[in-house]
């Protein structure tokens, strides 16, 4: 029997995991990732609010990957394309391959803003959701009983940077959770949740159909929206903002960094053709220009034919996973590789803990029904049939109510 070819996949996010699952059984597949679990990022907000549990949206690779896929937890620090080797520091042997998939995603971009990296909480991983929740619980616990409303408001001021979909989803969840905590703890006054946006409007990348729902929800959740405002500096207890040339220092209990993504540092080290932002330029087959056995996808790649609205999305990465798997099978089997038109699968944003807005085709709808539709839509996109069934059943029978602001113990 012919020996199976070795496929090495670096990164266990949407691109890497879906490629691995598609390739299972057809090659000797190894998936390397620096986390031991996948993360369904569109529901990180619900993980934060306790509407879903970590086993549902951050399942361990051990539970997702069958016996046909080897999983290695580790952070790849370098790749030698000529030797066909990848290195994980601390591991004796290099990982070798016949075909390589690089799907390492991006990291938070702090744009060099003083104090942002040190003092702001990023929001990209399960542990970030837990850290933010913890910070909110600590801030609430520190409020003295019977404190005056203005004292409470100052102590419970949180800021989210960036009013893209992510900033809106997070700020409305934070505001709803805090208001619920105020009622439960009989605190006077109101929490303050601010969202700060450099541009002149919220969700700039989304159409007007969905913006109406977003603006209404921000208003109902009493999120303070500051557009045309720039973060100049972050300190341990405040943020310095600039609006219309005027600087203002706002004391905060926490600031969440949602204002940008940059290319993964591993990609910086690779001698591949890249665009201005450092993303790897790939062929329509997802192959790199000089190494036909090396494929790059998801947030690490620039794929010229994808619509700009799809760039940097899970929707694109998971569709590319399918194409990469097909093309690797073709490459290893000596067949012709193909390309594919990637589709926009619709937009969905959660708006607080009880509603959402969904856009399918040209039609947008909002409210609690849209929240249910969003859950259903995302159930269908979770990895593996087995996991989808387990999660779908648990949401259907167990419900998806948020958990009051107590540490989640993630
Ligand atoms: C909070 C949040 C919400 C989002 N919501 C949506 C949404 O609603 N809809 C949508 O379409 N998109 C959404 N996105 C964007 C989406 O998550 C990304 O576009 C998608 O995850 C990109 O997939 P990827 O495979 O390229 O990278 P990722 O999914 O980021 O996966 C990369 C993986 O590689 C691992 N890794 C990184 N470096 C190394 C290394 N050197 N060695 C080993 N492993 C490494 C990482 O830990 C990670 O597991 C959201 C993103 C975030 C952060």
């Amino acid at each position: 029997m012919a020996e199976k070819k070795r496929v090495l996949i670096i990164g266990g996010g949407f691109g890497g995991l879906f490629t691995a699952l598609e390739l299972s059984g057809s090659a000797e597949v190894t998936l390397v990732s620096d986390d031991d679990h996948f993360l369904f990022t569109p529901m990180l907000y619900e993980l934060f609010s306790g509407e879903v549990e970590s086993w549902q949206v951050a399942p361990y690779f051990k539970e997702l990957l069958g016996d046909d896929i080897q999983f290695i937890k580790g952070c790849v620090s370098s790749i030698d394309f000529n030797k066909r080797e990848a290195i994980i520091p601390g591991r004796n042997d290099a990982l070798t391959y016949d075909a390589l998939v690089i799907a390492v995603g991006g990291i938070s971009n702090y744009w060099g803003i003083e104090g942002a990296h040190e003092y702001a909480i990023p929001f990209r991983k399960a542990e970030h959701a837990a850290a933010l929740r913890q910070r909110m619980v600590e801030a609430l616990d520190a409020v003295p009983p019977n404190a005056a409303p203005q004292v409470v408001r100052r102590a419970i001021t949180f800021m989210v940077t960036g009013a893209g979909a992510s900033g809106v989803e997070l700020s409305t969840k934070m505001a709803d959770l805090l208001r619920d905590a105020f009622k439960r703890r009989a605190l006077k006054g109101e929490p303050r949740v601010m969202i700060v946006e450099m541009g002149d409007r919220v969700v700039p990348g989304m159409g007007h159909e969905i913006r109406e729902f977003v603006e209404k929800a921000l208003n109902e959740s009493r999120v303070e929206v500051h557009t045309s405002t720039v973060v100049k500096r972050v300190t341990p207890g405040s943020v310095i903002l600039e609006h219309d040339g005027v600087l203002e220092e706002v004391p905060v209990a926490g600031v969440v960094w949602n204002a940008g993504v940059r290319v993964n540092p591993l990609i910086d080290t690779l001698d591949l053709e890249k665009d201005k932002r450092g993303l790897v330029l790939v062929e329509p087959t997802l192959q790199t220009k000089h190494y036909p056995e090396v494929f790059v996808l998801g947030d690490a790649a620039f794929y010229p034919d994808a619509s700009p609205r799809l760039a940097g999305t899970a929707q694109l990465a998971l569709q590319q996973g399918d194409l990469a798997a097909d093309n690797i099978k073709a490459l290893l089997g000596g067949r012709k590789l193909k390309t594919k038109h990637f589709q926009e699968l619709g937009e969905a944003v959660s708006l607080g803990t009880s509603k959402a807005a969904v856009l399918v085709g040209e039609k947008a709808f909002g409210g609690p029904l849209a929240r249910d539709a969003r859950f259903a839509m995302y159930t269908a996109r979770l990895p593996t049939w087995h996991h989808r069934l387990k999660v779908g059943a648990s949401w259907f029978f167990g419900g998806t109510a948020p958990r009051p602001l107590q540490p989640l113990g993630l």
Side-chain angles (χ1 to χ4, degrees):
M1 225 169 60
E3 220 176 76
K4 277 190 180 166
K5 299 277 188 178
R6 292 153 308 161
V7 181
L8 178 64
I9 300 172
I10 308 173
F14 278 91
L17 175 65
F18 282 81
T19 309
L21 292 171
E22 281 297 314
L23 279 172
S24 179
S26 60
E28 192 188 302
V29 181
T30 302
L31 177 70
V32 184
S33 206
D34 53 7
D35 283 325
D36 56 5
H37 58 269
F38 170 67
L39 177 62
F40 191 85
T41 47
M43 294 202 114
L44 187 56
Y45 318 99
E46 279 76 15
L47 187 61
F48 156 74
S49 64
E51 288 162 84
V52 304
E53 295 177 36
S54 52
W55 73 266
Q56 296 167 330
V57 296
Y60 289 113
F61 288 119
K62 274 189 289 198
E63 292 174 13
L64 293 175
L65 304 172
D67 296 341
D68 285 333
I69 302 172
Q70 189 198 5
F71 173 68
I72 297 174
K73 183 175 182 300
C75 185
V76 171
S77 60
S78 62
I79 303 170
D80 186 326
F81 295 119
N82 296 318
K83 290 191 188 156
R84 297 193 179 183
E85 281 182 359
I87 303 292
I88 298 178
R91 210 185 141 89
N92 291 336
D93 50 333
L95 301 170
T96 53
Y97 59 85
D98 296 302
L100 174 69
V101 177
I102 305 174
V104 287
I107 60 167
S108 295
N109 193 345
Y110 297 98
W111 307 102
I113 294 168
E114 194 185 329
H117 185 244
E118 291 84 347
Y119 305 119
I121 302 171
F123 197 76
R124 298 188 59 80
K125 299 205 165 239
E127 65 258 31
H128 301 152
L132 174 59
R133 204 176 155 95
Q134 179 70 24
R135 178 77 65 87
M136 288 165 72
V137 172
E138 282 167 9
L140 286 163
D141 287 350
V143 175
N146 294 320
Q150 66 276 25
V151 174
V152 184
R153 188 168 165 79
R154 191 185 148 102
I156 309 296
T157 295
F158 283 86
M159 190 181 288
V160 175
T161 61
S166 191
V168 166
E169 296 192 80
L170 186 59
S171 60
T172 50
K173 292 259 190 239
M174 289 168 74
D176 284 8
L177 282 184
L178 285 170
R179 278 221 310 286
D180 174 70
F182 266 52
K183 274 192 219 136
R184 288 172 188 274
R185 295 171 183 236
L187 294 176
K188 292 185 190 134
E190 281 215 0
R192 185 181 190 202
V193 177
M194 305 169 69
I195 187 165
V196 172
E197 165 61 42
M198 217 167 109
D200 63 355
R201 67 181 79 170
V202 296
V203 289
M206 290 185 152
H208 65 93
E209 308 90 344
I210 215 160
R211 182 171 302 111
E212 275 172 34
F213 291 103
V214 168
E215 283 170 349
K216 187 161 174 264
L218 286 166
N219 199 20
E220 283 170 1
S221 293
R222 300 204 202 119
V223 173
E224 252 179 59
V225 179
H226 294 251
T227 49
S228 308
T229 303
V230 180
V231 174
K232 299 301 280 184
R233 191 153 64 91
V234 183
T235 79
S238 71
V239 180
I240 291 96
L241 300 175
E242 187 189 64
H243 173 73
D244 258 352
V246 179
L247 292 178
E248 183 194 2
E249 180 163 7
V250 182
V252 291
V255 51
V256 190
W257 201 259
N258 243 322
V261 182
R262 74 171 296 276
V263 75
N264 186 293
L266 176 65
I267 301 291
D268 291 335
T269 68
L270 303 178
D271 188 14
L272 294 170
E273 256 187 73
K274 298 177 195 161
D275 76 353
K276 275 194 289 204
R277 292 161 301 166
L279 302 175
V280 178
L281 291 170
V282 290
E283 302 285 359
T285 52
L286 295 171
Q287 288 165 295
T288 53
K289 305 247 176 221
H290 300 297
Y291 304 97
E293 72 285 1
V294 178
F295 295 73
V296 185
L297 54 147
D299 287 1
F302 177 67
Y303 189 86
D305 295 335
S307 98
R309 270 152 61 130
L310 271 179
T313 66
Q315 300 189 16
L316 180 63
L318 70 86
Q319 293 182 68
Q320 289 182 333
D322 279 352
L323 177 63
D326 284 351
N327 278 344
I328 288 168
K329 285 180 204 166
L331 182 81
L332 300 179
R335 297 189 303 278
K336 193 170 176 315
L337 277 63
K338 58 183 185 181
T339 184
K340 185 172 163 182
H341 175 67
F342 300 112
Q343 295 189 332
E344 293 190 34
L345 306 173
E347 283 174 8
V349 275
S350 72
L351 298 169
T353 51
S354 61
K355 41 190 191 303
V358 172
L359 179 72
V360 184
E362 299 293 296
K363 286 222 164 10
F365 65 107
L369 197 66
R371 179 180 182 274
D372 291 345
R374 183 172 171 273
F375 267 83
M377 197 163 128
Y378 285 164
T379 313
R381 293 194 195 147
L382 288 169
T384 82
W385 275 107
H386 185 233
H387 187 64
R388 258 172 250 160
L389 280 176
K390 272 198 309 184
V391 173
S394 75
W395 284 342
F396 187 77
F397 293 111
T400 55
R403 273 201 253 167
L405 269 179
Q406 294 296 334
L408 272 181
L410 282 169

